[in-house]
Amino acid sequence: MNNHVFQRYEAKFLVNRQQRILLEQAFADRMAPDPYGESTICNIYYDTPDFRLIRHSLEKPIYKEKLRVRSYGPVQSSDMVFLELKKKYNGIVYKRRTSLPEHDAMDFLNGKTALEKDSQIAHEIMYFCSFYQNLEPKVHLSYDRSAYFSQIDPSFRVTFDQNIRWRQDDLSLTSRPGGESILQPGQSLCEIKAAAAIPLWLVEILNKANIRQTSFSKYGRSYQTILMDKIYRNRGIRYA
């Protein structure tokens, strides 16, 4: 297994088509496109039967955590995927992830096998699953991502996610992306990921374009839709 650790600040902004164009124009001499180009990211989020993890997260606590398995586009069972444990404490995001074949990831998440105990990351993920015990796949989330990194500091990244879609059926990374859209037409979720402060030039562009930071969770937005649909169905009203 290949293991990765990330520690950084993440700021999120909902931007329209014109605001995104303005930002990308400002990147010309400062940011470079990700060498892998644009990608479609697929995720399956795991939670307890009563959505304990996302309910806690939406309360905006000082500490929260979530577990997901991720791939870049649909995969075959032998292709590599990422098993990720994402934590946020006092505004700082800590991500632990390990790569393994999709069928091995599914066997672990279905309780059939354990992870190789050769890393701290594996121990953390197994402890997380043991602590919550009854985790199950809840939502498939996919989106098209364009990523940029700083030519001065490659750890500074800006991403744009569009066509964010979610579903509760066909919860497999071997299936094609698709589902119900979260954003309005023309919208993108812009995420700024930095180990330190956001550069002044970017702050000035954000102010000029009237782009304001927002609190936005893709999985959280999916859960809220699920919850509203349940409330309306209990009242005999179709929610759309």
Side-chain angles (χ1 to χ4, degrees), residues 104-132:
D104 287 345
M106 291 301 102
D107 283 347
F108 166 69
L109 291 167
N110 291 332
K112 297 179 180 179
T113 60
L115 295 177
E116 296 178 15
K117 299 180 181 179
D118 61 350
S119 71
Q120 178 63 28
I121 295 176
H123 281 286
E124 288 187 36
I125 293 175
M126 286 190 291
Y127 175 80
F128 179 93
C129 293
S130 174
F131 181 82
Y132 289 102

Side-chain angles (χ1 to χ4, degrees), residues 78-92:
S78 59
D79 291 337
M80 302 298 282
V81 298
F82 294 97
L83 188 59
E84 299 185 344
L85 183 59
K86 188 175 182 181
K87 308 177 182 182
K88 189 173 185 180
Y89 176 72
N90 204 24
I92 302 177

Side-chain angles (χ1 to χ4, degrees), residues 121-225:
I121 295 176
H123 281 286
E124 288 187 36
I125 293 175
M126 286 190 291
Y127 175 80
F128 179 93
C129 293
S130 174
F131 181 82
Y132 289 102
Q133 294 185 342
N134 55 351
L135 294 174
E136 59 187 30
K138 303 300 283 188
V139 166
H140 183 291
L141 261 164
S142 61
Y143 41 90
D144 301 325
R145 168 166 290 181
S146 301
Y148 299 84
F149 66 92
S150 169
Q151 299 184 44
I152 299 175
D153 176 14
S155 66
F156 176 72
R157 292 170 54 83
V158 178
T159 60
F160 294 97
D161 296 336
Q162 61 181 1
N163 299 326
I164 304 175
R165 296 148 290 174
W166 71 277
R167 64 176 187 249
Q168 281 195 287
D169 61 343
D170 202 7
L171 301 179
S172 172
L173 295 179
T174 62
S175 301
R176 295 191 61 81
E180 181 179 337
S181 296
I182 289 178
L183 300 181
Q184 297 298 317
Q187 272 190 324
S188 297
L189 178 64
C190 174
E191 296 189 42
I192 298 175
K193 310 164 193 283
I198 298 176
L200 181 58
W201 66 264
L202 184 51
V203 173
E204 292 175 346
I205 294 294
L206 293 172
N207 288 332
K208 179 180 179 181
N210 194 33
I211 299 172
R212 299 290 178 257
Q213 187 172 347
T214 187
S215 176
F216 189 97
S217 166
K218 301 182 186 78
Y219 178 34
R221 186 65 64 91
S222 303
Y223 167 70
Q224 289 171 328
T225 304

